[in-house]
């Protein structure tokens, strides 16, 4: 495999996944990873569990509550002190709320160490 020019050694497992299935495999990355800095988390309104529910109620979009899935995990550096794993609906709402998420990646599902912060658990 490492001698194969189609899959150079520098490729990651995600590169291989995407090349095997093209655009369809990108759809399997259900969660965008949003990094929040130490400064971001000091503002309580940057916590989805605090601000997203009231926003949906005030905007008359409570039907979306059953489609949102946000997981949180503690980061390891000051620039990424909290990681949020947001599904597409949650990210769209977050942006509509005027937030400017720092997107750092995508995953099929959140890591097992992440905790459900707001919404409903992911499903396959």
């Amino acid at each position: 495999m490492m001698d194969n020019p189609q899959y150079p050694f520098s490729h990651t497992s995600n590169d291989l996944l995407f090349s095997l299935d093209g655009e369809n495999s990108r759809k399997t990355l259900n969660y965008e990873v949003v990094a929040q800095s130490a400064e971001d988390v000091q503002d309580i309104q940057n916590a989805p569990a605090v601000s997203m529910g009231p926003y949906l109620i005030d905007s008359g979009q409570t039907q979306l509550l059953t489609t949102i899935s946000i997981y949180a995990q503690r980061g390891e550096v000051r620039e990424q002190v909290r990681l949020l794993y947001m599904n597409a609906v949650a990210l769209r709402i977050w942006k509509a709320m005027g937030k400017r998420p720092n997107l750092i990646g995508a995953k099929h599902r959140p890591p097992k160490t992440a905790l459900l912060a707001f919404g409903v658990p992911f499903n396959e």
Side-chain angles (χ1 to χ4, degrees):
M1 177 99 160
M2 290 194 297
D3 294 335
N4 187 336
Q6 186 178 0
Y7 305 109
F9 185 66
S10 63
H11 274 224
T12 67
S13 59
N14 282 345
D15 293 330
L16 177 59
L17 172 69
F18 298 149
S19 68
L20 292 175
D21 195 25
E23 193 59 36
N24 287 335
S25 63
R26 291 221 182 255
K27 293 177 187 172
T28 66
L29 297 179
N30 302 326
Y31 286 84
E32 294 288 336
V33 184
V34 176
Q36 292 186 319
S37 69
E39 293 77 24
D40 292 335
V41 299
Q42 289 178 0
D43 180 358
I44 192 74
Q45 292 302 310
N46 285 327
V50 172
S51 60
M52 198 172 279
Y55 172 82
L56 292 172
I57 291 168
D58 291 346
S59 63
Q61 301 179 76
T62 55
Q63 74 280 6
L64 295 176
L65 286 169
T66 59
T67 63
I68 295 168
S69 183
I70 303 173
Y71 285 78
Q73 184 175 36
R74 185 177 181 166
E76 296 180 7
V77 295
R78 184 171 177 77
E79 296 78 26
Q80 299 177 3
V81 76
R82 178 169 53 202
L83 301 176
L84 298 174
Y85 299 84
M86 296 183 157
N87 69 354
V89 175
L91 186 60
R92 206 166 44 245
I93 294 167
W94 198 240
K95 288 178 179 178
M97 292 172 62
K99 307 296 182 183
R100 289 181 173 75
N102 177 18
L103 299 175
I104 61 167
K107 292 202 169 276
H108 172 62
R109 60 180 169 204
K112 292 181 181 187
T113 55
L115 299 174
L116 183 64
F118 188 73
V120 297
F122 71 88
N123 59 22
E124 295 291 336

